[in-house]
Amino acid sequence: MNDFGRARADLVDDLVRDGHLRSAPVRAAFLAVPRERFVTEDLHRKAYVDTPLPIPMGQTISAPSMIAIMLEEAELAEGQKVLDVGTGSGYNAALLAAIVGGANVVSIERHAGLVDFARQNLAAAEIAGVRLVVGDGTLGYEPLAPYDRIVVTAGAPRIAKSWVRQTRMGGLIVAPVGRSTFSQVLVVARRTGEDRVEARESTPCAFVPLVGREGW
Ligand code: SAM
């Protein structure tokens, strides 16, 4: 095991100890995906610190503990089809791919430059099959709907109508929702009807804003 591998295993141990990683598939994904491949070289030495890090276009790769909480809340299983809103570095898409299978992941990002960044990172991490789309994820991604899960990693003003309509009945949407652009609470919403969800609040969080037609 190289230094990155050891640092990754130590971080996973910490996330398990702190109760953020709870299930075998999410734990295995964190052990399998090399986070150092999803940050620029100058940040490699910080790749296994539990903190958000800057990525191009003024955006961030989220803190591992936050992503662990979200992926556990999403109750993921192999074979589920997942829409990842806010590709950023591609790290969350890579973790999703490790859990549900790369061909089942669609990831949408508004900055074309970040889609290029994520494409390179996923290739460097040898993760295949993820569908990357440039677009406004507040509108979901209709061409490949419905999804079993929609996981959003930017702060939204509300659960967007498009997400509800593009989630399979009984499926889950996990998104940071808040009245301001700098603080949110993680909302876990299960689709129960045509335009209906049953939602509950999980943990407080702070993501960069979701900018778009049904966002900020
Ligand atoms: N999941 C990412 C990762 O693993 O690196 C981190 C996501 S970062 C916290 C939030 C991302 O959401 C940014 O890359 C931002 O450009 C993107 N974003 C913001 N509004 C968006 C929108 N309407 N549609 C798609 N992406 C959006």
Side-chain angles (χ1 to χ4, degrees):
M1 200 190 278
N2 63 17
D3 288 351
F4 283 130
R6 262 187 297 275
R8 192 179 314 132
D10 287 347
L11 175 64
V12 166
D13 285 347
D14 290 348
L15 295 175
V16 170
R17 187 201 56 216
D18 295 345
H20 300 313
L21 279 179
R22 289 180 277 115
S23 69
V26 182
R27 182 173 174 276
F30 270 82
L31 281 174
V33 177
R35 191 170 186 250
E36 72 276 11
R37 298 284 188 200
F38 295 85
V39 293
T40 48
E41 210 170 333
D42 53 313
L43 293 172
H44 275 183
R45 76 203 145 75
K46 291 194 179 163
Y48 294 101
V49 181
D50 185 20
T51 185
L53 293 170
I55 58 172
M57 323 286 308
Q59 303 300 316
T60 54
I61 176 174
S62 309
S65 54
M66 191 64 238
I67 296 299
I69 292 168
M70 293 190 81
L71 296 184
E72 294 289 7
E73 290 285 17
E75 298 175 17
L76 297 159
E78 193 175 349
Q80 286 171 343
K81 193 163 157 195
V82 183
L83 177 66
D84 170 48
V85 177
T87 310
S89 68
Y91 180 62
N92 192 43
L95 292 168
L96 287 167
I99 300 167
V100 303
N104 295 316
V105 179
V106 182
S107 183
I108 185 163
E109 165 61 52
R110 65 189 280 265
H111 292 296
L114 281 178
V115 167
D116 291 342
F117 181 62
R119 184 168 285 117
Q120 287 166 25
N121 297 341
L122 287 163
E126 298 179 6
I127 289 158
V130 174
R131 185 86 70 101
L132 296 175
V133 180
V134 181
D136 179 1
T138 69
L139 304 177
Y141 187 63
E142 181 65 37
L144 294 175
Y147 305 99
D148 297 294
R149 301 286 184 264
I150 296 184
V151 177
V152 182
T153 54
R158 65 192 73 81
I159 297 289
K161 278 208 179 80
S162 305
W163 299 340
V164 177
R165 290 183 188 154
Q166 292 174 27
T167 298
R168 243 187 259 285
M169 213 52 84
L172 289 177
I173 301 163
V174 179
V177 176
R179 281 201 210 119
S180 81
T181 51
F182 48 84
S183 87
Q184 305 93 26
V185 63
L186 195 64
V187 170
V188 183
R190 190 176 294 280
R191 186 176 184 193
T192 54
E194 192 49 34
D195 283 315
R196 279 176 58 90
V197 291
E198 264 169 26
R200 71 176 165 80
E201 293 188 352
S202 170
T203 190
C205 49
F207 281 81
V208 296
L210 183 79
V211 179
R213 185 113 63 93
E214 289 193 44
W216 293 104

